[in-house]
Amino acid sequence: MSVTTMNAKDILMRAVQCDQVGRILEAQNLYQDGIQILMDLVADEKDVGKKKVYYERIKEYIDRAEQIKERVQKHVIRGELVTNIPIEDNSTGNSYQALFGDYLNADVKEVLLEEPYLQEKYHFQNLVTFLELLVKNCRHIKYVRLVTKTDPKAPENQRNVLEQIKSDMARRNVTLSVKFEDTLHDRKIVLSNGYIIKIGRGLHFFKATNPLYSLGLCDYDFRKCLQTDVDIWRTKNFIA
């Protein structure tokens, strides 16, 4: 058995394990990775019998990955509005913890974060601040899928910064998976405990501290904000 086949087997076994315990975002990503490896193997396989076996297994995994995709989409679409929080221009006291920290709890094992704009230094600082809160509040967090746009001006720098963040998250036993979708527009945070947080401006509704070294540099409750709205929705737990 080739190393590639072994890798595909290991990846798909892990996908099934994640699937069984309700970590469906991670399972979906692993299914896709395993399927791609098997597809590459099929392309190089000369034995017709083996090709047939590969195709049968690939179809099984594709079907399961599609089922998970539909399940995630239903979570995002369905639900009822729990609360609407209007944030006024120049208001303070609106840190991530203050706005939705109560929903980041021990029941959260996975998070889907759709944030189109991760290009500027302050964008990455906001992302790290959010991830710090996530790791601190959600002691069972295992997987975060980040979907963003490619920085058209400095894509290499963007990838380098995100790799640094991925490595640091991995040291804390959390997988950060980054996906680039250049047509992405919506901003949302989907928690596996059934809450969906939609912020008009995404993570980036804080104004810069002025002067730089003043209260608010680290504690975002002191930061003045741009006007936006925060909607928090409740749907079913991923595992349900």
Side-chain angles (χ1 to χ4, degrees):
M1 183 177 289
S2 70
V3 174
T4 306
T5 307
M6 286 290 290
N7 288 343
K9 181 180 178 181
D10 291 343
I11 290 171
L12 291 167
M13 284 180 61
R14 185 178 166 198
V16 172
Q17 291 170 352
C18 289
D19 198 349
Q20 290 174 340
V21 298
R23 283 159 52 189
I24 63 173
L25 290 177
E26 185 171 6
Q28 182 187 26
N29 193 57
L30 291 168
Y31 278 131
Q32 291 170 342
D33 289 346
I35 288 166
Q36 186 57 57
I37 293 173
L38 289 181
M39 292 291 286
D40 293 340
L41 283 171
V42 170
D44 296 331
E45 182 58 61
K46 305 300 181 184
D47 187 299
V48 176
K50 288 184 178 179
K51 270 183 178 286
K52 183 179 178 182
V53 173
Y54 278 134
Y55 279 127
E56 289 174 350
R57 298 305 299 274
I58 288 170
K59 185 181 184 304
E60 291 177 10
Y61 292 125
I62 288 177
D63 288 345
R64 185 53 191 153
E66 284 298 314
Q67 290 172 10
I68 291 176
K69 182 179 179 181
E70 291 177 7
R71 188 169 160 189
V72 173
Q73 289 175 336
K74 286 180 180 178
H75 277 282
V76 173
I77 294 171
R78 296 177 181 176
E80 59 180 358
L81 184 65
V82 175
T83 185
N84 167 263
I85 306 170
I87 297 177
E88 301 297 329
D89 189 55
N90 284 327
S91 63
T92 59
N94 299 306
S95 66
Y96 300 141
Q97 171 63 43
L99 291 173
F100 49 79
D102 288 345
Y103 303 100
L104 302 177
N105 54 39
D107 293 332
V108 177
K109 295 181 180 179
E110 297 187 299
V111 172
L112 168 62
L113 170 61
E114 294 185 352
E115 175 50 69
Y117 300 106
L118 289 174
Q119 302 171 8
E120 305 294 337
K121 183 178 178 180
Y122 74 91
H123 290 164
F124 296 117
Q125 290 174 336
N126 290 341
L127 173 62
V128 169
T129 299
F130 169 73
L131 293 174
E132 287 173 344
L133 180 63
L134 199 62
V135 172
K136 183 183 292 185
N137 286 18
C138 309
R139 64 176 183 273
H140 296 139
I141 187 74
K142 294 296 181 184
Y143 182 83
V144 179
R145 178 184 297 168
L146 168 64
V147 186
T148 190
K149 288 183 177 181
T150 303
D151 182 351
K153 296 181 180 179
E156 186 174 347
N157 176 69
Q158 181 189 43
R159 289 180 182 274
N160 287 340
V161 173
L162 291 174
E163 282 298 325
Q164 291 176 31
I165 299 173
K166 284 176 64 175
S167 296
D168 190 60
M169 292 288 282
R171 285 193 287 271
R172 302 167 201 284
N173 298 316
V174 181
T175 298
L176 175 63
S177 173
V178 181
K179 305 293 182 183
F180 293 95
E181 293 184 8
D182 292 340
T183 57
L184 182 67
H185 179 267
D186 292 343
R187 302 159 172 87
K188 69 173 78 74
I189 302 166
V190 183
L191 309 177
S192 64
N193 63 355
Y195 287 97
I196 301 170
I197 301 157
K198 299 181 180 181
I199 309 172
R201 294 178 181 270
L203 296 178
H204 314 311
F205 56 88
F206 298 103
K207 295 186 177 182
T209 52
N210 186 20
L212 175 60
Y213 296 106
S214 56
L215 297 185
L217 180 62
C218 298
D219 187 339
Y220 281 18
D221 270 324
F222 291 102
R223 286 275 187 105
K224 290 183 179 180
C225 296
L226 298 163
Q227 187 279 326
T228 193
D229 281 278
V230 180
D231 288 334
I232 298 176
W233 296 75
R234 180 75 170 97
T235 183
K236 290 183 179 180
N237 188 300
F238 273 6
I239 301 176

